[in-house]
Amino acid sequence: MKKIILTGDRPTGKLHVGHYVGSLKRRVELQNSGEYDDIYIMIADAQALTDNADNPEKVRQNIIEVALDYLACGLEPEKSTLFIQSQIPQLTELAFYYMNLVTVSRLQRNPTVKSEIKMRNFETSIPVGFFCYPISQAADITAFQATVVPVGEDQLPMLEQTKEIVRKFNSVYGETLVEPEILLPDNEACLRLPGIDGKAKMSKSLGNCIYLSEEPEEIRKKIMSMYTDPEHIRVEDPGKLEGNTVFTYLDAFCKDEYFAEFLPEYANLQELKDHYTRGGLGDVKVKKFLNNVIQTELEPIRKRRQEYQKNIDYVYEILKKGSEKAEQVAAQTLNDVKNSMKINYFQDPELIAEQKKKYQ
Ligand code: ATP
Ligand code: MG
């Protein structure tokens, strides 16, 4: 069986370091591993519209931002197909058929949808499209016969939903769709990187992000204001690591070589953590170190972005070509789906012969 990747992001803002450690970094590694037959990276504008119906301009403006962030991180159009969801009408058609295989109560139980509804204060006025987006995500994944979906932890319920739809479809209409596997980050801190406020996950919609394209000074200010251990007041106080965002970020980004470069008194992160919990290590010193680490990680990304920013025509051309290719693949799957469901009336000579016989 072919090894195929599908993943994507909503164009609701520029991408942030949570996206980077949760999914983007992995995608680039997988792309460069040469182990995959096809890689599809989708800008999920139609999904973004499900909770931004009154603000299509936000979505329209952010398509290029997400594309620039992709290219900046090292996704390459020669190796990965970058495309825009709304330009592939077959995805909507697939979702429409999958809707019949899912119950309302099953969607209501989806924990990610539940928490997103709360976060957006939808209460009882949930847009139907938003409520159904896990089904549309199943359409996106299966349209490309994806075997692997590299995403953050919040996407686990979506993958479960997709698998259920695949099983149900195949059992009702015969083997047609491929069941995908989720690929979560190995590093626990990257599963759901918290925002700089230390509260919820870093999310474009919550304004608690460090963006990949942000200027160094902005990043430094955000890091210096980050949430740590509120009871660690004086340098001598013993500090807590649990819920301490600065250490979570170090878990996500730090490599031993950064100690040699920026903080040679310690050999590795464990030594730094031990000192912090013993007491005698101030937050400012740890934050300055984290700033050096993040600046080092983000500098090449920012530079590459600046190059692509000079050639916006080329970036749109990449998305157009990618969307054309994606449409061909999705059309093939939709064709298979309609054949399996036997809603291919005009390509079904058996059906026509049967009906003729009925009236002879
Ligand atoms: P929105 O607030 O509009 O939903 P978002 O910041 O949650 O935006 P998405 O586009 O929904 O971003 O998510 C894109 C991908 O990034 C998904 O695979 C998701 O799991 C991953 N991701 C998003 N935020 C984080 C995070 N804080 N930590 C790890 N992975 C994340
Ligand atoms: Mg999200």
Side-chain angles (χ1 to χ4, degrees), residues 98 101 165-179 333 335-342:
Y98 296 171
L101 307 174
I165 290 174
V166 169
R167 286 185 213 131
K168 179 98 187 183
F169 189 99
N170 288 347
S171 81
V172 177
Y173 304 113
E175 255 340 279
T176 313
L177 302 174
V178 177
E179 204 172 307
T333 304
N335 197 45
D336 295 347
V337 159
K338 289 171 98 172
N339 282 341
S340 297
M341 293 175 73
K342 294 195 175 291

Side-chain angles (χ1 to χ4, degrees), residues 10 12 19 47 112 116 119-120 133 154-155 201 203-205:
R10 295 152 39 93
T12 48
H19 296 119
Q47 188 187 118
T112 301
E116 289 179 341
M119 205 174 94
R120 287 162 176 76
Y133 93 72
D154 60 319
Q155 295 301 310
K201 95 173 172 90
S203 166
K204 294 181 228 109
S205 310

